[in-house]
Amino acid sequence: MLTLNSKNMIKKYIFAFALASFSLSSCLDLDVAPMNIVQDKDIFTSENGVLSYMARIYSQLPVEDFRYSGARGFNHFWIIDPVPMLTGEAIGRDWCSAHSEDFDYYADDANPTGNGYKLIRDINYFLETLPSYESYFSTEQVNTWKGEALFARGFAYFALAKRYGGVPLVNTVLKYPEQSIDDLKIPRSSEEAVYNQVYQDLTDAFNLLPEKAQRGRATRYAAAALNSRAMLFAGSIAKFNKNSNLVDQDGNRLVGIDASKAKDFYQKSYDEAKKVEGHHSLYMKNWKEGDKEAQYQNFVNAFFDESSEENIFVKEYAYPNSVHGYDAYCVPRQAMGANGYATLVNPTLDFVEMFDGLPKDANGHLQNFDEKGHYKMYDKTMDLFANAEPRLRATVILPGDDFKGESISIYRGIYTKADAANGISHIIPDGATEKYENIPECKDYIVSSPNPDNQTVYTLPDGTRMNAAGLSGPFASDAGAGAMSGFSVRKWLNPDMPKSAVLENNSTQTWIEIRYAEVLLNRAEAAYELAELGAGANYKEDAYQCINQIRHRAGADLLASSAELNDFSIIQRERRKELAFENKTWWDLKRWRVIEKEQQSTLWRILMPFYAAHAGKYFFDVRTDEDNSHRFTFDTRWYYKNFPNSSIEKNPLLLQNPGY
């Protein structure tokens, strides 16, 4: 069985493609690879040899998974700078300000899986060499391997295009000294041409790949689903890009795509998504109509059931050779292991408010006050979320919810003012950014705990003693791995992992890179855009049906008809809810060209539960980030990454992106 951590991955091979190619790092580096004793016939005349080569290709795929960091790139142990810090999905103790991806996928020599052209070189060599050895294998085997290679090349070019725009298209093995240095200085192709290449590679892969394969290997429907994602991205660039433009001397538009091409790309995205219909489906195992608990558990299980028909393309892990640290970094503090990490990802109230079933005001914000202007009071913190769509609970650990058999205690402090039983008005002034303990209006009435290791114990009016903060935070002076937003992430956490096993680099749950829910969302968005571009009302109806499939499974409110799908923000919000913490939102916000509007010196909002000592109930205070340190602004240059100066020095035809 070939997976990314397969036992069949034969690391001893030094691949024969090094004989005739040179490194494409730093844009066509001219270092000639040394000769070695492993020849083409040693690799390409046996199934194990070819599978080892394919394993190398799979291991280099630019999958933005548990081991992806916007600071460090691919296949790094995920402990700092998680991408949800950049999208408003969450805040944390790492990225706290204006930021974009720091690593360089175009020419990262330090990371063998962080250079797209190294992967493309390996693929090109494979595609050029395999035909000479086809007689050793069946037609089915050869077609599958070719399809997998083309799938990987489409994947790599898409990863480059969404970061840089137009890049050099290199679809043959470059040879030096057979080719001159000038011949090896390849200019950037237009952004449109790169997406056309992605489309062609993935279409060819679809025609060659089997319908089903072992987990971790591409199928024809994985190719179609990835194509749908890429074509949707291209359509969005054609429609929304207004910030950047770059044309070379031959008139090729290296950055941006002409708006007239939007309809064609949206049509391709829609058609590719339709190919998947009937071959994959939403996970609905043990889902029950009207049963919120069953619907919640269904969504949790969707990320762990290996038999799920929703999974289209996955990246597997296995102890001890291929592991990650998601659980250790992200569990609530009560569930943390001996490493001492926890709650790296703290969902924001801005994100939580997107979900249905919460009490909200006319602006869609959480309504935490009653008609008299007093905080609403609750016997238990979870009462506020009693009617929330089950998908929220499966995505975010809410204050007081159960996880691994215990209630996750999240509250900020105890409010001690004696007349609280008659109603509590806003405890801090509007716009206050200081910690509660520093605000004169409330500091005398707040009992808090400075950190998790130094809990203040307060005696309530009835004589009961109570910790001044929840066991999982938040805390007054030291984040201490507490829930600094009032929430902790739930999606992807292994519910069956014992505390003793919650250790750094000890997790093995599978990363689901492509699932059918995303395909439905791609289809809905493409259909909506096609309807807006005059392709017909049937597309609007199809978009409505796709959105309602997602909402039905989620336990969310259904749209009554396609007439309610009257605003693009409905589709945007549904993607952000369904695909949260899957490293998709960052790219959605970029392709829609909205992230700079969302992030204009933005402080994300949080929800702080308090226990009112004299009322014997909980209330919730809404405010901006208490640390006043997570302030985000997006530089519009970041819609496209810059090329390394060293690459431009080696290849003057590589024009730099605007603004750098």
Side-chain angles (χ1 to χ4, degrees), residues 3-16:
T3 67
L4 295 183
N5 58 307
S6 176
K7 295 179 180 178
N8 291 327
M9 188 182 293
I10 305 174
K11 296 183 178 180
K12 67 180 181 180
Y13 280 113
I14 305 173
F15 295 106

Side-chain angles (χ1 to χ4, degrees), residues 258-391:
D258 191 270
S260 64
K261 303 299 178 65
K263 186 174 182 180
D264 179 57
F265 280 117
Y266 284 131
Q267 187 68 60
K268 287 177 178 175
S269 176
Y270 179 83
D271 292 343
E272 293 299 308
K274 282 284 288 183
K275 289 180 181 178
V276 186
E277 186 177 31
H279 303 282
H280 287 273
S281 58
L282 293 179
Y283 182 80
M284 301 288 285
K285 198 172 183 177
N286 298 321
W287 188 96
K288 296 180 181 178
E289 187 74 52
D291 187 333
K292 286 183 177 293
E293 186 63 28
Q295 292 168 4
Y296 153 75
Q297 195 61 55
N298 173 81
F299 200 81
V300 169
N301 293 346
F303 292 86
F304 292 91
D305 190 339
E306 294 188 358
S307 68
S308 173
E309 285 298 314
E310 184 165 350
N311 298 346
I312 299 175
F313 185 67
V314 304
K315 178 177 177 180
E316 293 195 294
Y317 288 87
Y319 185 85
N321 294 324
S322 181
V323 293
H324 58 84
Y326 186 82
D327 292 280
Y329 305 142
C330 295
V331 292
R333 193 177 190 280
Q334 282 168 257
M336 76 178 184
N339 287 150
Y341 299 112
T343 326
L344 186 64
V345 176
N346 301 259
T348 63
L349 178 59
D350 302 84
F351 169 71
V352 170
E353 284 177 338
M354 295 182 185
F355 290 81
D356 298 337
L358 301 174
K360 299 177 185 178
D361 62 22
N363 296 316
H365 293 311
L366 187 74
Q367 180 57 272
N368 58 326
F369 291 98
D370 63 20
E371 64 279 359
K372 296 180 180 179
H374 297 149
Y375 288 104
K376 294 180 179 179
M377 295 288 187
Y378 299 92
D379 293 328
K380 297 179 293 184
T381 50
M382 277 298 290
D383 290 347
L384 170 64
F385 308 97
N387 297 316
E389 62 177 89
R391 178 173 51 180

Side-chain angles (χ1 to χ4, degrees), residues 151 154-155 158 198 202 221-231 513-514:
F151 173 84
F155 209 133
F158 179 38
V198 172
L202 294 176
Y221 302 114
L226 182 59
N227 221 352
S228 177
R229 180 194 292 178
M231 295 305 99
E513 174 59 18
I514 309 175

Side-chain angles (χ1 to χ4, degrees), residues 38 132 140 185 204 247 267 277 297 304 306 348 473 487 583:
V38 180
S132 298
E140 181 181 2
K185 293 177 180 178
D204 291 343
V247 179
Q267 187 68 60
E277 186 177 31
Q297 195 61 55
F304 292 91
E306 294 188 358
T348 63
F487 304 103
N583 295 337

Side-chain angles (χ1 to χ4, degrees), residues 166-179:
V167 296
L169 289 174
V170 185
N171 295 333
T172 60
V173 176
L174 302 176
K175 300 176 176 67
Y176 178 81
E178 292 94 322
Q179 293 173 274

Side-chain angles (χ1 to χ4, degrees), residues 393-651:
R393 282 187 60 213
T395 305
V396 175
I397 293 180
L398 306 168
D401 204 356
D402 290 335
F403 180 65
K404 294 187 179 181
E406 64 178 310
S407 174
I408 302 302
S409 179
I410 298 175
Y411 61 91
R412 175 62 172 78
I414 300 174
Y415 188 76
T416 63
K417 197 170 183 179
D419 64 352
N422 299 318
I424 305 171
S425 299
H426 203 177
I427 60 176
I428 63 173
D430 287 337
T433 58
E434 299 86 359
K435 290 181 177 292
Y436 292 95
E437 292 76 14
N438 299 329
I439 299 174
E441 291 87 341
C442 73
K443 67 178 182 179
D444 293 335
Y445 306 108
I446 297 290
V447 177
S448 57
S449 293
N451 57 61
D453 300 317
N454 188 18
Q455 279 273 18
T456 301
V457 180
Y458 181 75
T459 302
L460 300 173
D462 65 359
T464 304
R465 292 170 62 80
M466 182 178 183
N467 283 342
L471 295 177
S472 291
F475 305 101
S477 61
D478 181 359
M484 59 192 300
S485 67
F487 304 103
S488 186
V489 73
R490 172 69 184 84
K491 184 181 279 189
W492 297 113
L493 290 179
N494 184 348
D496 300 320
M497 177 177 274
K499 185 179 292 188
S500 61
V502 180
L503 303 171
E504 190 177 15
N505 304 327
N506 199 45
S507 293
T508 59
Q509 58 262 54
T510 295
W511 176 265
I512 306 171
E513 174 59 18
I514 309 175
R515 57 191 182 94
Y516 188 61
E518 182 198 348
V519 175
L520 282 175
L521 290 164
N522 294 346
R523 177 174 155 185
E525 183 176 343
Y528 177 90
E529 295 290 6
L530 287 169
E532 291 292 296
L533 290 168
N538 288 342
Y539 284 104
K540 186 78 168 289
E541 180 69 20
D542 193 68
Y544 152 72
Q545 295 289 348
C546 291
I547 291 295
N548 264 1
Q549 283 188 60
I550 297 287
R551 290 192 174 196
H552 181 249
R553 192 268 293 274
D557 299 334
L558 299 181
L559 299 175
S561 69
S562 59
E564 288 195 17
L565 194 59
N566 56 6
D567 193 316
F568 185 53
S569 65
I570 295 173
I571 289 175
Q572 290 175 308
R573 186 179 302 111
E574 203 60 37
R575 284 187 70 94
R576 295 178 75 162
K577 291 193 295 180
E578 178 69 24
L579 303 178
F581 308 110
E582 298 181 38
N583 295 337
K584 306 293 191 297
T585 299
W586 168 248
W587 298 108
D588 283 344
L589 297 179
K590 291 185 74 175
R591 68 181 175 84
W592 292 327
R593 297 300 194 252
V594 298
I595 192 169
E596 89 276 9
K597 301 179 183 68
E598 287 196 8
Q599 298 187 9
Q600 296 179 340
S601 195
T602 299
L603 281 169
W604 299 112
R605 293 157 57 248
I606 63 177
L607 186 66
M608 293 288 99
F610 285 89
Y611 185 75
H614 289 272
K617 295 179 182 292
Y618 290 92
F619 67 91
F620 293 85
D621 187 51
V622 175
R623 57 168 299 164
T624 54
D625 167 34
E626 189 178 356
D627 285 345
N628 194 28
S629 62
H630 298 76
R631 191 178 296 272
F632 291 87
T633 302
F634 186 87
D635 187 332
T636 55
R637 292 181 304 168
W638 296 343
Y639 281 123
Y640 293 96
K641 280 184 61 64
N642 62 302
F643 290 91
N645 289 332
S646 59
S647 298
I648 296 174
E649 290 171 1
K650 293 177 181 180
N651 179 13

Side-chain angles (χ1 to χ4, degrees), residues 54-122:
M54 290 308 306
R56 177 187 173 101
I57 288 176
Y58 274 106
S59 72
Q60 295 181 75
L61 286 181
V63 177
E64 295 160 18
D65 64 340
F66 299 117
R67 295 181 60 176
Y68 164 75
S69 163
R72 298 185 175 190
F74 303 103
N75 285 324
H76 284 275
F77 289 108
W78 194 68
I79 185 172
I80 62 170
D81 307 324
V83 176
M85 304 300 101
L86 301 179
T87 62
E89 291 169 273
I91 58 175
R93 289 171 285 279
D94 293 323
W95 265 342
C96 303
S97 60
H99 239 291
S100 186
E101 275 190 343
D102 290 340
F103 78 100
D104 182 23
Y105 188 56
Y106 187 82
D108 184 356
D109 293 326
N111 179 6
T113 63
N115 184 323
Y117 282 101
K118 287 182 179 178
L119 172 58
I120 291 169
R121 176 203 61 200
D122 292 352

